[in-house]
């Protein structure tokens, strides 16, 4: 599991790309903890190609846009790659993004 820390100014956004396994039935889900209203998360991925054009087991990249909303907030976003028909299974992969929202714009790499 990878953990990344970033700082965003209020109104600033960060694009996160995650390799998906949609062709194998996995989807990325996310949960925001901490100051949940400090950030917003949206899936801005391109629509997937028709199933006939996807090779079995192919990786399908997903893109998420994280936007800073409330200065002074700190939130943790946990992305988990799961297969919805099997909720009892452990996630195939996980990614954690720790976000600090400041009043001014900062670099996207947390600097």
């Amino acid at each position: 599991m990878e953990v990344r820390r970033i700082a965003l100014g209020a109104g600033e956004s960060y694009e996160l790309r995650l390799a998906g396994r949609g062709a194998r039935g996995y989807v990325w889900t996310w949960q925001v903890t901490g100051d949940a209203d400090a950030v917003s998360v949206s899936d801005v991925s391109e629509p997937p190609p028709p199933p006939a054009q996807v090779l079995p087991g192919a990786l399908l990249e997903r893109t998420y846009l994280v936007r800073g909303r409330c200065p002074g907030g700190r939130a943790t976003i946990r992305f988990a790659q799961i297969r919805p028909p099997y909720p009892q299974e452990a996630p195939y992969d996980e990614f954690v993004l720790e976000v600090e929202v400041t009043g001014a714009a900062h670099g996207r790499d947390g600097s």
Side-chain angles (χ1 to χ4, degrees):
M1 172 175 49
E2 182 179 346
V3 177
R4 187 176 303 166
R5 292 171 180 82
I6 63 169
L8 291 175
E12 186 177 21
S13 61
Y14 176 80
E15 190 174 273
L16 175 65
R17 295 176 189 265
L18 297 173
R21 296 195 178 291
R24 293 186 181 171
Y26 287 90
V27 297
W28 283 103
T29 61
W30 66 86
Q31 180 179 19
V32 181
T33 57
D35 298 328
D37 60 345
V39 298
S40 64
V41 181
S42 54
D43 184 342
V44 296
S45 304
E46 294 288 325
Q53 294 179 4
V54 178
L55 295 174
L59 295 180
L60 300 173
E61 186 176 80
R62 304 302 298 175
T63 305
Y64 299 92
L65 193 66
V66 177
R67 184 174 303 275
R69 297 179 62 207
C70 300
R74 290 181 181 269
T76 299
I77 308 165
R78 179 184 168 265
F79 290 88
Q81 196 172 39
I82 63 164
R83 290 193 305 174
Y86 307 100
Q88 72 282 4
E89 286 183 359
Y92 179 82
D93 196 6
E94 294 179 284
F95 184 92
V96 174
L97 187 64
E98 295 179 355
V99 184
E100 176 184 3
V101 182
T102 65
H106 278 82
R108 293 180 182 212
D109 63 357
S111 56

